[in-house]
Amino acid sequence: ETNTQHNYYMVKQSLSDQMKFDTKDTEDEKASKAAAEEAKATAEGELEATVKELEAAQKALETARASCMEVAADHEASMASRAEELKVLAEAKKVLQETTSGAEAQTYALLQVAAGEGMRSRADLARSEVLVIVRRLAKQHHSAALAQLASKMAAVARMSAGAGEDPFAKVKGLIVDMVAKLQKQLADETDEKAYCDE
């Protein structure tokens, strides 16, 4: 009987210890499960945020690509237009130089400017030719810059001739200024295109 009682206490103690360990294991498992669920919820939230950021970045990339493609197309068109304008200006400058040899040595009287109806000299003819060429090209290419240049050239030619100054020097200066301006615009557009190409 003592032996039985002793066995009973031993089994009871063993079961009690087992139950205590099982309870502790269960609590540990529950804590681990709760931590895992919290980590999972955090990861899902981060994933969702990352997916949204990725979508926004892809939309921004598409917008940038479309913008760069548009800039590239505009750049090509403006390059062609600018090249044509530079060619026209060079032609106008050449016509001026070829047809005005000795024009700066001429004396211009107020009577010549006031009359202004007809062409009295080779210089008048050259000035008229250059203006006609620049105006025609401005109209052909729908170029406000060339139209403005033609207007300035006409005004400078009238004013310089009336003041006894060399109109061709001023017209040449206008053409050189226009070429420099167009080259600067070309360089700026090339920089913008290079930025988009990166």
Side-chain angles (χ1 to χ4, degrees):
E1 188 177 307
T2 312
N3 205 8
T4 309
Q5 192 175 16
H6 176 67
N7 284 341
Y8 168 76
Y9 285 123
M10 290 296 281
V11 169
K12 180 180 174 189
Q13 183 64 38
S14 172
L15 289 173
S16 194
D17 289 345
Q18 183 65 38
M19 203 163 91
K20 192 175 8 170
F21 289 131
D22 287 347
T23 302
K24 186 175 182 329
D25 283 348
T26 303
E27 288 171 359
D28 288 346
E29 289 296 323
K30 285 180 182 176
S32 292
K33 182 181 176 190
E37 286 176 352
E38 184 178 334
K40 178 185 173 195
T42 302
E44 286 175 346
E46 289 174 356
L47 176 64
E48 186 177 332
T50 302
V51 167
K52 286 180 182 176
E53 288 174 8
L54 177 62
E55 288 172 357
Q58 286 174 334
K59 285 180 185 175
L61 178 63
E62 287 303 314
T63 302
R65 280 185 183 154
S67 175
C68 282
M69 293 300 285
E70 185 177 323
V71 166
D74 290 348
H75 177 70
E76 294 300 322
S78 69
M79 289 281 287
S81 173
R82 184 109 344 78
E84 184 65 30
E85 286 176 353
L86 289 171
K87 180 180 166 190
V88 168
L89 289 172
E91 185 180 325
K93 186 176 178 182
K94 181 181 173 193
V95 168
L96 268 176
Q97 288 171 341
E98 289 174 354
T99 59
T100 60
S101 57
E104 62 274 352
Q106 276 186 332
T107 305
Y108 298 96
L110 286 174
L111 181 60
Q112 286 178 310
V113 174
E117 298 296 323
M119 303 209 188
R120 292 184 168 63
S121 69
R122 192 172 150 199
D124 290 339
L125 177 62
R127 187 168 51 239
S128 175
E129 264 184 67
V130 170
L131 286 172
V132 167
I133 290 171
V134 173
R135 284 183 180 145
R136 183 182 64 224
L137 288 167
K139 190 173 184 179
Q140 280 177 346
H141 297 286
H142 306 290
S143 172
L146 285 175
Q148 187 178 24
L149 176 64
S151 295
K152 284 182 181 180
M153 286 170 59
V156 163
R158 280 193 306 270
M159 300 302 263
S160 295
E165 299 171 357
D166 178 16
F168 301 106
K170 289 191 176 188
V171 169
K172 286 176 193 175
L174 286 173
I175 291 173
V176 168
D177 291 346
M178 178 66 125
V179 168
K181 179 181 170 188
L182 290 173
Q183 287 174 335
K184 183 183 181 318
Q185 287 177 348
L186 177 66
D188 292 345
E189 289 175 6
T190 301
D191 291 345
E192 183 179 359
K193 183 176 184 313
Y195 173 77
C196 282
D197 288 344
E198 290 175 2

